[in-house]
């Protein structure tokens, strides 16, 4: 079955620690996205990528970093500079940036502070 | 800049009754409009979209939405609600030609037996 796999499902971060969230898709989609979801705030875009080795900042990129070395993978690192990292993180992909096709979402990673 | 408003944090409806979840938007140019549903601890699932054409759009699980350009609205509807429809619903918009979606804050739908 084609889809998006996010791992781990739950993650805990210690003070001063960087953590990396995994996102893999086998849909052959060009574009991939990372969102942060907080209660009552909807989804906010962190980073997005249209093509391998290229990515752009979204609305709340500070304290986060990404890479896109392979078409199917778009890992997100939450750095120690992100002072309020507790949230539900969602990865998504779509056929093309600028198309009218919907984004497909993974089942998320819930990050908490220890 | 584009924006989406979902004015109701929660909508309560009895099973079998019609339901409406409201969404209004602001965008430059022609909008692409989407509805997604989220169940607890899961990702978002696509329900339906409006790109162009007929103002009434039909989607998954019996849901439909009506695009109203003059009122800049895209309300989600279903003629007969099911308990299993209880979930969090998100409206999203992007300007034509861009896939950078802007999401509303979500509306929790609670369908009582």
């Amino acid at each position: 079955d084609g889809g998006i796999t996010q791992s781990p499902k739950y993650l805990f971060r210690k003070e001063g620690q960087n953590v990396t969230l995994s996102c893999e898709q086998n849909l052959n989609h060009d574009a991939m996205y990372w969102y942060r979801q907080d209660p009552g705030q909807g989804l906010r875009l962190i980073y997005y990528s249209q093509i391998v080795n290229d990515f752009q900042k979204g609305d709340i990129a500070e304290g986060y970093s990404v890479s896109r070395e392979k078409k199917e993978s778009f890992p997100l690192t939450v750095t120690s500079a992100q002072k309020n990292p507790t949230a539900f993180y969602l990865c998504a992909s779509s056929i093309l940036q600028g198309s009218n096709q919907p984004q497909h979402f993974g089942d998320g990673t819930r990050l908490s502070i220890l | 800049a584009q924006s989406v408003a979902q004015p109701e944090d929660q909508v309560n409806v009895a099973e079998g009754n019609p339901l409406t979840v409201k969404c209004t938007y602001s965008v430059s140019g022609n909008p692409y409009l989407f509805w997604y549903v989220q169940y607890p601890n899961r990702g978002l699932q696509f329900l339906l979209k409006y790109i162009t054409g007929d103002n009434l759009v039909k989607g998954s699980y019996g849901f439909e939405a009506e695009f109203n350009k003059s009122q800049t609205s895209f309300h989600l509807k279903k003629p007969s609600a099911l308990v299993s429809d209880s979930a969090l619903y998100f409206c999203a918009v992007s300007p034509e030609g861009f896939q950078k979606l802007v999401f509303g804050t979500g509306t929790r739908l609670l369908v009582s037996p």
Side-chain angles (χ1 to χ4, degrees):
Chain A
D1 280 344
I4 300 179
T5 302
Q6 291 188 242
S7 63
K9 194 168 180 65
Y10 300 95
L11 188 58
F12 298 91
R13 197 191 88 169
K14 295 180 181 178
E15 195 77 30
Q17 185 181 42
N18 293 351
V19 292
T20 297
L21 285 60
S22 171
C23 177
E24 303 276 333
Q25 55 100 358
N26 61 5
L27 299 167
N28 199 32
H29 285 171
D30 293 298
M32 297 187 74
Y33 314 81
W34 274 106
Y35 293 93
R36 171 178 171 142
Q37 184 178 12
D38 295 281
Q41 294 194 45
L43 277 69
R44 293 181 290 168
L45 183 65
I46 305 173
Y47 269 98
Y48 63 103
S49 168
Q50 303 176 64
I51 195 170
V52 173
N53 293 323
D54 187 46
F55 46 83
Q56 288 78 39
K57 292 182 179 179
D59 300 318
I60 55 164
E62 186 174 350
Y64 300 97
S65 66
V66 293
S67 63
R68 186 89 187 272
E69 297 177 1
K70 298 185 296 183
K71 185 176 183 177
E72 59 270 24
S73 178
F74 192 41
L76 173 74
T77 296
V78 184
T79 74
S80 58
Q82 173 49 247
K83 298 306 180 187
N84 183 24
T86 297
F88 191 49
Y89 291 87
L90 288 163
C91 179
S93 70
S94 66
I95 292 175
L96 279 174
Q97 179 83 4
S99 76
N100 59 21
Q101 296 304 310
Q103 293 181 14
H104 296 252
F105 285 79
D107 277 340
T109 292
R110 191 168 296 280
L111 177 61
S112 303
I113 298 291
L114 276 180
Chain B
Q2 59 264 31
S3 65
V4 175
Q6 293 183 243
E8 302 154 317
D9 290 335
Q10 183 163 313
V11 169
N12 298 306
V13 65
E15 188 174 31
N17 284 357
L19 70 87
T20 299
V21 182
K22 296 180 180 177
C23 171
T24 59
Y25 66 90
S26 173
V27 68
S28 301
N30 295 321
Y32 289 173
L33 293 156
F34 301 81
W35 274 103
Y36 289 84
V37 61
Q38 184 181 35
Y39 295 97
N41 295 310
R42 300 295 299 274
L44 276 64
Q45 296 178 31
F46 168 73
L47 280 178
L48 51 81
K49 66 181 181 183
Y50 172 82
I51 304 300
T52 187
D54 194 347
N55 289 343
L56 185 63
V57 178
K58 293 190 183 297
S60 305
Y61 312 120
F63 284 94
E64 57 190 28
E66 186 167 13
F67 172 66
N68 188 317
K69 189 172 184 177
S70 63
Q71 297 185 6
T72 61
S73 67
F74 190 56
H75 301 332
L76 182 70
K77 300 181 180 185
K78 188 174 183 181
S80 178
L82 300 172
V83 172
S84 57
D85 292 331
S86 298
L88 187 58
Y89 290 81
F90 289 98
C91 182
V93 66
S94 71
E96 182 179 5
F98 292 87
Q99 191 62 315
K100 188 178 172 183
L101 288 174
V102 172
F103 286 84
T105 52
T107 298
R108 189 164 302 280
L109 174 66
L110 183 60
V111 182
S112 55

